Amino acid sequence: MRTVVVTNPPRAEAAAVDELAKHGVATVHEATGRTGYLGPSIRPVHLGSRIAGTAVTVLSWPGDNLMIHVAVEQCRPGDVLVVATTSPSTDGMFGELFATALQYRGVRGLVIDAGVRDVADLHAMGFPVWSAAVSAQGTVKATPGAVNVPVTIGGQPIRPGDAVLADDDGVMCIPRESVADAVTAARAREEKEAATRAAFQKGELGLDRYGLRDRLPGMGIEYVEYGAS
Ligand SMILES: O=C([O-])CC(=O)C(=O)O
Ligand SMILES: [Mg+2]
């Protein structure tokens, strides 16, 4: 692994990232052709937050949070810290002290493919975190890694400066060049879903709205009156 700290990577445009935060992960994931989702193993540590920000990426050795300390200095307002490890680990690499340092720098949250701790404090501070685990197990500060290199979480590549969108449904990454397009697509999908919601509120069935009823026979689905042989 290259032990490198990349400074000042290009970041997704801030206004587009802020627009992105108006839309949920499920909506943007669908609107972008089901791309970029980090998968169900990256979970919100506390519910009720939705953030979008630009990624500062960290590649750490498992059980070692040295490079998170290095990365804090690279963070700017509007960033999200994204931490991957070189092999799987659930150790609690991050807690309220790191969150305090990141909040001071205007960082919007943390996404980490490892463990976090001090979760009651993180909750009280209002610092949103998505992680693979919660663990009191502490870590060392010993092994070089990298900051602002491309990382992979849940099979999804995340480059420094890409947009990260996270809410109660999980986390997704949008390439920094594609954020404005993703916002446009998300708006269109929300308009379509608003029309569907209004129809469902009046009792229309998905079977009819989506043209499914006519397709059921072709799929071999038949209706049988209860008790009929
Ligand atoms: O200091 C650590 O190793 C992680 C932690 O608990 C904190 O950030 O509060
Ligand atoms: Mg702590």
Side-chain angles (χ1 to χ4, degrees), residues 2-153:
R2 271 183 90 199
T3 53
V4 66
V5 179
V6 177
T7 59
N8 297 317
R11 283 164 163 88
E13 205 232 323
V17 174
D18 289 346
E19 281 298 309
L20 192 63
K22 295 179 181 168
H23 306 281
V25 170
T27 297
V28 180
H29 176 59
E30 289 291 341
T32 54
R34 298 190 176 172
T35 60
Y37 181 47
L38 274 49
S41 60
I42 303 296
R43 301 292 310 137
V45 167
H46 36 258
L47 294 174
S49 303
R50 185 198 287 160
I51 61 163
T54 39
V56 167
T57 63
V58 184
L59 188 56
S60 283
W61 279 70
D64 194 315
N65 65 9
L66 170 67
M67 296 315 289
I68 302 180
H69 284 284
V70 175
V72 170
E73 188 181 29
Q74 301 304 318
C75 290
R76 294 187 200 158
D79 284 338
V80 172
L81 193 64
V82 176
V83 180
T85 53
T86 53
S87 61
S89 171
T90 57
D91 291 346
M93 300 175 73
F94 182 102
E96 52 89 20
L97 290 176
F98 271 130
T100 301
L102 290 178
Q103 259 183 343
Y104 175 83
R105 304 185 80 82
V107 173
R108 292 178 176 170
L110 170 79
V111 175
I112 182 166
D113 193 9
V116 296
R117 60 186 189 175
D118 308 328
V119 296
D121 294 321
L122 294 173
H123 182 64
M125 294 167 70
F127 187 80
V129 172
W130 288 258
S131 75
V134 171
S135 172
Q137 181 64 51
T139 55
V140 299
K141 307 172 191 359
T143 319
V147 174
N148 279 332
V149 297
V151 297
T152 301
I153 299 179

